[in-house]
Amino acid sequence: MSALRLEKPERKIIEKNRRNQMKFLYSRLFSLIPPHSTSKGGDQVANQVDRAINYIQTLKTNLEVNKNKKDRLLLLLSKKRSHEDTQMINSVCIPLDIQIHDMTHDHDAVLVTGLKTYSTFCNVVQFLDQYCTEVTLANFSNSGHSTFHICQKKIDADDICKRLKDSVENMKEFRDNTHASFRNEVDLDLSVWDFDLLY
């Protein structure tokens, strides 16, 4: 009898501890549900558990969607960087080459390979204008031939090639140090830019 009397209170204590533990776990679970998702009335525990499960499932789905977006963005960024690196390598690897070809007795085509920037292209236009009567056409390309048509060159073609090559190779330093003065020179003589520009 005494053993049975001891066993009954122990069972009550164990059951009470179990219920307290379940209440604590439910409380932790229900705290995950945002306030706007909870009902103002007293929901049944089963309904609250279902709501918590649905909310956790929604979070899991959103996490997967965001992870996929992140992976796609990282892939795009990687491709973009790879493309930019390839462009940079290509532009660095293209050697500077200048050729002048006679088209008629007073018209010549100047082919320049290896122009890396549009500002360098504009500097070439200004340079050529000093050594011919007129630049009639200009076509820029940073991956192939930039083409210039000039009218009545004032010095020998070989001299133009040599001076232009020296000028292009020094243009980065020139652009860094005299960018403002270059803009002023262009503004002063707008006739330099009176030609057909092709892209």
Side-chain angles (χ1 to χ4, degrees), residues 1 25 35 40 42 45 74 86 98 135 137 165 170 177 179:
M1 283 292 289
L25 291 175
K40 291 181 179 178
V45 171
L74 287 174
T86 302
I98 300 166
V135 178
L137 180 140
K165 187 169 186 178
N170 294 323
N177 295 333
H179 183 64

Side-chain angles (χ1 to χ4, degrees), residues 12 18 31 133 170 176:
K12 283 183 178 179
R18 187 188 70 78
S31 70
T133 304
N170 294 323
D176 292 341

Side-chain angles (χ1 to χ4, degrees), residues 101-159:
H101 300 280
D102 293 331
M103 294 195 302
T104 66
H105 70 282
D106 61 350
H107 279 80
D108 299 274
V110 181
L111 304 180
V112 182
T113 305
L115 294 183
K116 299 178 180 64
T117 64
Y118 188 73
S119 61
T120 306
F121 165 79
C122 292
N123 286 340
V124 170
V125 171
Q126 189 185 35
F127 173 89
L128 289 173
D129 186 70
Q130 296 174 6
Y131 296 101
C132 70
T133 304
E134 185 183 2
V135 178
T136 58
L137 180 140
N139 177 23
F140 173 64
S141 171
N142 61 0
S143 58
H145 287 303
S146 292
T147 308
F148 308 85
H149 288 185
I150 60 175
C151 181
Q152 296 179 354
K153 57 185 181 292
K154 298 174 183 176
I155 60 174
D156 185 73
D158 290 339
D159 287 339

